[in-house]
Amino acid sequence: MKPGALKLLTAALLAASALTTGVAHAAGVLTIGCREESTTFDPIKTAQNRDNWVFANVYDVLVRVDNSGTRLVPGLAESWAISDDGLTYTFKIRPAKFSDGSPLTAEDAAFSLLRIRDNPGSLWADSYKIIDTAVDKDPHTLVVTLHSKSVPFLAQLATANVSIVSKAAIEKLGEEEYAQNPVVSGAFKVKEWLRGDRVILEKNPQYWEADKVSLDGVEWISIPDDRTRMLKVQAGELDSAIFVPFSHVNDLQKDKKVTVHIDPSTREDHLLINHEKGLLGKQEVREAIDLAIDKKALVETVTFGHGEPAYSYIPKGALYHNANNLQRPYDPAKARELLKKAGAEGLKVNYVVNAGNEADEQIAVLVQKQLADVGITANLQKVDPTQSWQMLVDGDYDLSVMYWTNDVLDPDQKTTFVLGHDSNQNYMTRYRNDKVKDLVAAARVETDPVKRGQMYEELQKLAKQDVHWIDLYYSPYINISRSNIQNFLQNPLGRFTLEETVKLEPGVKTAQN
């Protein structure tokens, strides 16, 4: 947007991928095996990828990200305009309905934006405090004013956490009941949620693009053990599975009954450190742990060549990634020296491990040994992946490997969440640095791209200097599906475009162009 110009921004919606004319296919229900379990259907009260990826199936947002993960396109807002001063956004809301048949209006959109900003349970409040007002001018016109210009504002509207929810349904059911049985606006609606097992979705006939949805439904099935998920797809018991273990890729690629999808991602795996746990609050101790871990050896052993060492919380290929950020070398001698200086010799830590996650278990064994070499005893506590998130929230851990995938194009969301956020305790690390927090807020509203880039470069340096967490590796998305499943795509921001997925009759293949 050029200063002083008022432009009406419109874009054609991406056409749903279609099969060649004449190719027979069935609708059916797509089954997806995954590690984690859903925790809620209230978009503002979670930060788990599993939740967000399911939200993308059942909710819709004002602005979407295209399949390439590189540009914004219309969603429930078919167009929008930005005022000359960059403070007022006017959205034209397309005709749409919720799953209960009620109309989706600008009032619902305004309610959703103010709710994520103001609700005490919102994990994302800080990212939306830039909003001053959100008003429904009429049922199809939403007017949002900001306190100041914000470069990432439009990009923030594409995350599943700010999905448009039904104001009437939340007020009628209450937040707790709505989180279990939501009224939704996306391609699928929630038919049943079997805790500890699966979420069963069915096609939403009220969805504004329902005629383009081939599947009758989707089942997200929780199977924590990596090997079991792969075997079930190979045996035809599942249509697809996510999180293919690195060690299985080569063998799976030889199986003609399945397709291995290796898609570009914004994924970064990292070792979280609880800064409120005793000596871990000292920067020297965290730095010693970083120096004690041989990232190159870890990546070679764990990812089988599919990953590369990480050195910044902003992943490679993402906006403002600092390619020259500090990469601490593997230096056990210096690590021991720092531990002695900090009075942390003989340190003992509780390391929470996601059981059944092959990569996490391998990392844990390697890190445990490397920490032992510098005098740190790491007690490995294996827990079900459905439990580990709550342990992080409660601070019931010292160390734990987790991963992040960007939800939006702009770096503000992740930066806010992991460095400058009060509501979620900086991704549960309890990291605190007021200078960093102020810089996060300043970068959000800086409109000069050069200055903004310099701010994010500085933030990456400061985060690494403080050892807010330990960067481990970047890797692609690796998923698997049966050969009769078409258009099973995960875009770089993690979204599965299941409204475009097709389940063919067994043995039927698409025609060759």
Side-chain angles (χ1 to χ4, degrees), residues 255-287:
D255 187 341
K256 295 182 179 180
K257 300 187 299 295
V258 302
T259 301
V260 178
H261 307 271
I262 301 179
D263 297 324
S265 86
T266 53
R267 174 167 176 157
E268 185 217 0
D269 285 62
H270 38 256
L271 181 67
L272 299 183
I273 303 174
N274 187 344
H275 293 220
E276 291 184 352
K277 282 298 187 76
L279 291 170
L280 295 178
K282 291 189 174 183
Q283 188 272 342
E284 296 93 338
V285 174
R286 299 192 301 273
E287 183 178 350

Side-chain angles (χ1 to χ4, degrees), residues 214-288:
S214 171
L215 295 171
D216 290 325
V218 179
E219 293 188 17
W220 287 86
I221 304 171
S222 301
I223 305 174
D225 186 74
D226 289 340
R227 179 175 173 79
T228 300
R229 285 199 311 282
M230 300 307 109
L231 291 174
K232 284 184 176 292
V233 176
Q234 289 183 289
E237 297 175 31
L238 287 174
D239 295 317
S240 58
I242 62 177
F243 299 125
V244 173
F246 297 111
S247 62
H248 291 220
V249 173
N250 290 341
D251 286 341
L252 288 171
Q253 288 176 327
K254 298 174 185 176
D255 187 341
K256 295 182 179 180
K257 300 187 299 295
V258 302
T259 301
V260 178
H261 307 271
I262 301 179
D263 297 324
S265 86
T266 53
R267 174 167 176 157
E268 185 217 0
D269 285 62
H270 38 256
L271 181 67
L272 299 183
I273 303 174
N274 187 344
H275 293 220
E276 291 184 352
K277 282 298 187 76
L279 291 170
L280 295 178
K282 291 189 174 183
Q283 188 272 342
E284 296 93 338
V285 174
R286 299 192 301 273
E287 183 178 350

